[in-house]
Amino acid sequence: MPGILGELYVHMTWSIALQIVLLGFIGGILSGFIGSGGAFFMTPGMMNLGIMGPVAVASNITHKFGKAMVGSKKHGEMGNVDKKLSLFMLFTAFVGIRLAVIVMKSLFNVEGHGAGSSAAADLYISIIFAVILLFVALSMLGDIVKSKSKDEAGPSTKITDFLGKLRLHPLIYFPVADVTVSLWVILVCGLATGYLAGTIGVGGFIGVPAMIYVFGVPAAVATGSELYLAMYMGAWGALNYAFEGMVDIRCTLLLYGGSLLGIYIGAYGTKVVKEVIIRLVTSVIILLCVISRIVAIPVYLQKLGYIGMDPSYNIYFNMISKGLLFVSGSTGALLIIVFVFKAYFQRRKLEASLAMEVPASA
């Protein structure tokens, strides 16, 4: 649909292109580390660069396919992928994505193909983003705070235990995750994961917590399994949005330019960083990204005429939103890189020490 493309596409400059590559790199590190797909960072990041919400979501979910394929392969080599669990969630995830595309298209067409309708879609994306991810972040932080110590901290099993007592048949056993889960619970979580992936490009922040807190899956296996699921969701989402003419292939390729390197760094980090640290880094980054998106909401409200704010203030709100987003993502990525390199040098030091002991014992 050329009309939509003409209205929504941003003029691509070298500055914007490099920033999208940086978004991809940071998002790739976060994706490999916490299994989110990194879209919680990249989707609002592209919106801050002037790319309209529908195109940011569509381009990011298209990018999600290839990156998830690389990430799931890496996690699969480490034994972190339960393919059976992912495939059981897949059917309703497809339904959720299709529903999300229908809603997005209807919002975009509310007032034609002008700025007003784009602002409606952007506002919708931002509100869904803020509400859902705020709940996820606060839940994870609360769980960590309640733990007695960092060494003993583990994910809450209250939901898992409650559902276990209900025993909603049929129950299915998943060998890699070593959990037994009701089929109905799996289908509902798959639908929610797909709908959010299609709405804001973020499926992992429902899929991963659902696997950990609802199914009782270990964090590393939840990360790998969600990436395996995301590979298929990304392909299906790309097809649905491409038929609506909302995928900007330039943005997708630029995201790939940074993320395919970053995801390897993040995936390695899951093997050398304590699970409680993974959850702490995840929750703090999400919280900062949520605040970043909340700051941008007045801009869309002003464009839609819901508030009488001076339009000249929009640039300041956007700058604050963009700054918060990059600080959160960059800090998180830097921490992960530090953990990875620290573990790498410790391993090299241990190998060197063992090599020196062999001749002495001989």
Side-chain angles (χ1 to χ4, degrees), residues 110-121:
V110 167
E111 299 175 21
H113 301 324
S117 58
S118 171

Side-chain angles (χ1 to χ4, degrees), residues 41 65 224 237 254 300 317 327 332 334 349:
F41 177 76
F65 162 68
L254 288 168
Y300 308 131
F317 279 96
V327 166
L334 183 61
K349 185 178 179 180

Side-chain angles (χ1 to χ4, degrees), residues 129-131 133-134 137 285-295:
F129 187 104
V131 171
L133 297 189
L134 179 62
I285 293 173
I286 303 173
L287 193 57
L288 289 174
C289 288
V290 166
I291 295 172
S292 166
R293 200 84 307 257
I294 290 174
V295 170

